[in-house]
């Protein structure tokens, strides 16, 4: 389901932020990365400024050196337009900020994105 190509975005995300990614391959067997709340908003900003639409994302919990699936997620069926990109950015940020305020710091977020 995830059509992300990490190599595509590695070149546009600053090395300082890219180095903070959490690889989900080893713990969950999925070829995705996630970020802490403090970094994911910057990643979303960079992606949308570079013509990517945020289709949705997943939330994972950090528990005693392991990563657990929370089954919490969001998605948006936005049109691949400038307005759709803006709406997708807003929805992603609203969901993540709300989740963080409600549940705290022990969570990481992965996003599904697509170049428009």
């Amino acid at each position: 389901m995830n059509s992300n190509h990490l190599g595509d975005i590695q070149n546009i995300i600053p090395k300082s932020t890219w180095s903070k990614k959490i690889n989900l391959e080893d713990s969950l067997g999925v070829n995705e990365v996630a970020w802490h709340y403090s970094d994911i908003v910057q990643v979303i900003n960079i992606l949308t400024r570079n013509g990517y639409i945020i289709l949705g994302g997943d939330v994972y919990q950090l528990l005693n050196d392991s990563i657990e699936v929370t089954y919490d997620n969001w998605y948006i069926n936005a049109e691949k337009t400038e307005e759709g990109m803006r709406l997708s950015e807003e929805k992603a940020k609203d969901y993540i900020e709300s989740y963080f305020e409600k549940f705290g710091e022990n969570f990481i977020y992965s996003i599904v994105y697509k170049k428009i």
Side-chain angles (χ1 to χ4, degrees), residues 45-99:
N45 287 340
I46 291 165
L47 290 177
T48 55
R49 300 302 174 269
N50 283 276
Y52 287 85
I53 191 166
I54 308 300
L55 302 172
D58 295 297
V59 182
Y60 301 92
Q61 186 170 17
L62 299 174
L63 284 174
N64 304 324
D65 297 332
S66 71
I67 299 171
E68 302 290 327
V69 177
T70 65
Y71 300 102
D72 292 333
N73 58 69
W74 79 95
Y75 74 94
I76 185 169
N77 192 9
E79 293 182 28
K80 294 179 189 159
T81 62
E82 291 290 323
E83 177 66 7
M85 197 163 53
R86 188 190 66 71
L87 289 172
S88 77
E89 176 185 16
E90 191 176 292
K91 170 128 183 170
K93 287 178 180 177
D94 286 351
Y95 183 90
I96 291 167
E97 286 170 11
S98 171
Y99 203 96

Side-chain angles (χ1 to χ4, degrees), residues 10-45:
Q10 186 175 357
N11 298 327
I12 61 172
I13 295 177
K15 284 184 174 50
S16 58
T17 302
W18 186 256
S19 67
K20 296 178 189 174
K21 73 186 182 310
I22 297 161
N23 195 328
L24 301 178
E25 180 98 42
D26 295 338
S27 53
L28 300 173
V30 293
N31 186 22
E32 291 184 41
V33 296
W35 278 272
H36 288 278
Y37 172 77
S38 56
D39 300 307
I40 191 66
V41 172
Q42 180 187 15
V43 171
I44 290 168
N45 287 340

